[in-house]
Amino acid sequence: MADMKNEPRTYVVTGAASGIGAATADLLAAGGDRVIRCDLRDADVNADLGTREGRDRLAEGVAAASGGTVHGLVAVAGVGDLSPAPVRVNFFGTLATLDAVRPLLARSDRPRAVVVSSLSAIVAADENLAAACLSLDEEAAAEAAAKVVAAGYGQTVYPSSKLALNRWLRRAAVGPDWAGAGIPLNAVAPGVVDTATARRFVLDDPAAREVVAAMMPQPLGFPGPVEAVASLLAWTVSPGNAFMTGQILYADGGAEALLQP
């Protein structure tokens, strides 16, 4: 994705050790750009975004590895556990990542940022839990998630964290810290794609696969290809994306169009 002057850009990709994050990091690197890979392990910067210590480690590691300038951020890192972890990682960890990298983006030419959401945010989210996240009180939101899990609805925590992320992004992207600073910020919301995580939780279980395919019908195929999502993520942080911000882009094989015509 190097620009027309063939000047390599520096990208930060979280969740880069596997799945969509790995595919996106590989695509950006194949285009001649520099990629700082971040994940729990096996990365340039190893950090747990579910903890404050891990978020500090990410901020320090990215600042050191980048030399102080980043052209694009692809925030993929997320978890789908039936616990409060998605609230801490997917929502608060992503916001902390954006906050840490934003000053480095502001120093670059044509900065861009994108986060990974999910089609599930429009299918199975808990409005009250999403609102708890948007209060920006992490401990209160994690406590609300724990109550949802204890009540037997742990499967709603992941989509709720993504719904909250969508709503936060729509508000923040057009504000002074992002659009006001010349930094387009968008989200890509995949449907079910063929990753190791999807195989473990959905695709390898015939019953689960049938239920999820019915809830999230994908006319272009179920599951979808990882490479298609990576390609869209790479474009959103490229110089070519010069006038789009605050958008949720559904890379879901047409599911969102069927569910919300």
Side-chain angles (χ1 to χ4, degrees):
M1 301 300 294
D3 67 23
M4 64 185 67
K5 296 179 181 179
N6 294 318
E7 296 174 352
R9 289 162 63 83
T10 296
Y11 291 105
V12 173
V13 180
T14 68
S18 62
I20 292 170
T24 306
D26 289 347
L27 182 59
L28 292 168
D33 292 308
R34 181 186 177 203
V35 180
I36 301 170
R37 300 173 189 243
C38 308
D39 213 308
L40 285 170
R41 60 189 66 83
D42 303 323
D44 301 310
V45 177
N46 296 317
D48 180 358
L49 295 179
T51 69
R52 287 179 172 78
E53 295 78 10
R55 296 165 195 169
D56 289 344
R57 192 172 300 115
L58 177 88
E60 294 165 2
V62 167
S66 67
T69 300
V70 170
H71 297 88
L73 167 64
V74 185
V76 183
V79 296
D81 305 0
L82 304 184
S83 75
V87 163
R88 294 194 182 276
V89 177
N90 304 355
F91 184 74
F92 288 98
T94 298
L95 265 57
T97 299
L98 290 166
D99 188 57
V101 179
R102 183 172 50 80
L104 310 182
L105 290 166
R107 296 175 189 155
S108 72
D109 177 46
R110 292 170 292 180
R112 312 280 187 262
V114 65
V115 304
V116 169
S117 181
S118 171
L119 173 68
S120 68
I122 67 170
V123 175
D126 180 307
E127 287 282 350
N128 291 329
L129 182 51
C133 292
L134 289 167
S135 74
L136 302 184
D137 183 332
E138 182 171 356
E139 296 311 313
E143 182 178 346
K147 290 179 179 177
V148 168
V149 173
Y153 298 100
Q155 71 276 10
T156 67
V157 177
Y158 173 84
S160 301
S161 71
K162 296 298 190 177
L163 178 60
L165 184 60
N166 289 352
R167 291 178 175 171
W168 177 89
L169 181 142
R170 293 281 288 172
R171 301 167 188 171
V174 293
D177 289 341
W178 295 97
I183 309 172
L185 170 63
N186 295 284
V188 168
V192 179
V193 295
D194 192 8
T195 64
T197 299
R199 288 193 293 273
R200 185 167 67 252
F201 288 106
V202 176
L203 300 177
D204 290 344
D205 181 336
R209 183 181 182 122
E210 183 177 357
V211 169
V212 173
M215 290 178 60
M216 298 188 287
Q218 300 180 176
L220 286 180
F222 184 94
V226 175
E227 295 77 14
V229 179
S231 180
L232 182 55
L233 286 166
W235 179 80
T236 61
V237 291
S238 74
N241 174 27
F243 203 56
M244 178 184 72
T245 197
Q247 299 304 302
I248 315 298
L249 305 176
Y250 289 92
D252 62 0
E256 188 269 344
L258 278 178
L259 296 169
Q260 298 191 151

